């Protein structure tokens, strides 16, 4: 199932009665819906076109046309997936041979990256890149597994001279967020989008005047709604036994896109710093006999 359809199915219980009718219609025949006009779909569901527009915006699309384009792309990929070995995530199974485990991890990671790429909004990504490129200071927030993703972004940004810090301690997140102001950026990472500490930190940063960016799994969440620029990774991975492996890969995929976009945008500024940081590390490693 595509990430969009998965999100609709997963969140039906939180929808209003009219939204639930719309979600059920989309889930029953998504291939038909992508070819419909908004008026036709509204009449079939017994709701107003305005309700459909609001529903699409709740799901972080620009409107119904944007929703149809993204859904059509996912459906086209789903039709091709049988030749690519399917698109279902594989869980950990007792006694699996190592060769099967290797293939399963490869399939999970590739599917996660592919599903995440299908959800990318290039305008939103570009806006995030522009903010990060010109930020006076960048705060990165993430708890538990999300803190690993935040640390990865921190290590990238520090190499190109961006004034940034990654916080995994909830008290330090709030302390730092309180000192942000206009021209600063707070970037919050939470797969669920409902991590209380991360929500509080981003809310505090926004109240302090900073621009806010979130990275969550696709779907409606408190953190995504709170952020000025919400970014999404695939939301298909389920189950505690996977340890958020594919979801972490998907989030790192977006981090790599943001970092590459930043360096490409300010190539003349960032490349010399990136090269100098590499040369300095090599110099001091060799000075100590190659010890890391």
């Amino acid at each position: 199932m595509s990430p969009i359809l998965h999100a609709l199915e997963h969140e039906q219980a939180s929808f209003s009665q009219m939204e639930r009718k719309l979600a059920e219609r989309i889930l029953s025949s998504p291939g038909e819906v992508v070819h419909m006009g908004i008026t036709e779909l509204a009449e079939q569901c017994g709701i107003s076109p305005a309700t459909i527009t609001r529903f699409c915006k709740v799901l972080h699309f620009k409107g119904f046309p944007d929703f149809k384009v993204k859904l059509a792309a996912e459906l086209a990929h789903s039709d091709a997936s049988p030749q690519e070995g399917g698109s279902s995530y594989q869980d950990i199974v007792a006694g699996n041979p190592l060769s099967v485990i290797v293939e399963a991890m490869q399939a999970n990671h590739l599917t996660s990256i592919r599903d995440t790429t299908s959800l990318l909004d290039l305008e939103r990504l570009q806006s995030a890149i522009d903010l990060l490129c010109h930020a006076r200071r960048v705060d990165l927030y993430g708890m538990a597994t999300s803190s690993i993703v935040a640390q990865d972004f921190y290590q990238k940004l520090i190499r190109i001279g961006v004034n940034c810090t990654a916080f995994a301690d909830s008290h330090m997140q709030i302390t730092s967020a309180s000192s942000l102001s206009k021209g600063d950026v707070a970037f919050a990472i939470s797969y669920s989008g409902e991590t209380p500490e991360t929500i509080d930190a981003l809310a505090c940063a926004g109240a302090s005047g900073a621009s806010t960016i979130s990275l969550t799994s696709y779907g409606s969440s408190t953190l995504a709604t709170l952020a000025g620029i919400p970014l999404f990774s695939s939301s298909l991975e389920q189950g505690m036994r996977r340890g958020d492996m594919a979801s972490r890969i998907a989030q790192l995929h977006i981090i790599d896109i943001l970092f590459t976009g930043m360096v490409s945008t300010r190539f003349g500024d960032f490349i010399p710093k990136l090269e100098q940081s590499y040369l300095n590390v090599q110099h001091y490693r060799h000075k100590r006999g190659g010890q890391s």
Side-chain angles (χ1 to χ4, degrees), residues 141-151 189-191 195 215 251:
Y141 308 136
M143 305 295 291
T145 305
S146 294
S147 71
I148 298 173
V149 180
Q151 280 291 331
I189 304 167
S190 168
Y191 180 72
T195 306
L215 175 53
Q251 289 177 330

Side-chain angles (χ1 to χ4, degrees), residues 39-212:
T39 302
E40 180 183 3
L41 179 59
E43 289 175 351
Q44 288 192 11
C45 296
I47 59 178
S48 69
T51 299
I52 297 177
T53 299
R54 284 195 300 270
F55 181 76
C56 292
K57 289 184 176 179
V58 165
L59 294 172
H60 304 285
F61 295 100
K62 297 181 183 72
F64 186 55
D66 183 43
F67 171 81
K68 289 198 299 178
V69 168
K70 296 282 197 326
L71 179 57
E74 289 188 359
L75 294 176
H77 174 262
S78 297
D79 290 341
S81 64
Q83 287 75 33
E84 300 168 8
S87 59
S88 297
Y89 289 94
Q90 302 175 53
D91 212 334
I92 301 172
V93 178
N96 257 355
L98 183 57
S99 60
V100 174
I101 292 172
V102 170
E103 290 179 2
M105 290 302 96
Q106 174 182 261
N108 285 354
H109 292 166
L110 290 174
T111 300
S112 182
I113 290 172
R114 187 171 57 234
D115 290 342
T116 295
T117 300
S118 73
L119 292 169
L120 294 180
D121 184 311
L122 296 184
E123 290 183 15
R124 217 175 266 162
L125 269 176
Q126 187 62 60
S127 295
I129 288 168
D130 292 341
L131 279 179
L132 291 165
C133 273
H134 300 97
R136 179 177 54 198
R137 173 177 147 201
V138 177
D139 269 13
L140 304 170
Y141 308 136
M143 305 295 291
T145 305
S146 294
S147 71
I148 298 173
V149 180
Q151 280 291 331
D152 180 85
F153 202 16
Y154 166 74
Q155 292 190 38
K156 287 178 168 64
L157 294 180
I158 208 72
R159 290 165 61 199
I160 58 175
V162 173
N163 179 19
C164 66
T165 310
F167 297 97
D169 180 271
S170 59
H171 292 172
M172 286 305 300
Q173 287 179 354
I174 295 295
T175 300
S176 184
S178 300
S179 67
L180 296 179
S181 59
K182 186 176 180 180
D184 299 327
V185 174
F187 190 114
I189 304 167
S190 168
Y191 180 72
S192 68
E194 300 297 341
T195 306
E197 298 88 346
T198 309
I199 291 169
D200 290 344
L202 197 68
C204 182
S208 298
S211 298
T212 54

Side-chain angles (χ1 to χ4, degrees), residues 159-162 266 269-278:
R159 290 165 61 199
I160 58 175
V162 173
R266 291 184 57 186
D269 296 326
F270 289 154
I271 283 295
K273 293 177 181 179
L274 192 60
E275 292 176 342
Q276 190 60 53
S277 67
Y278 172 79

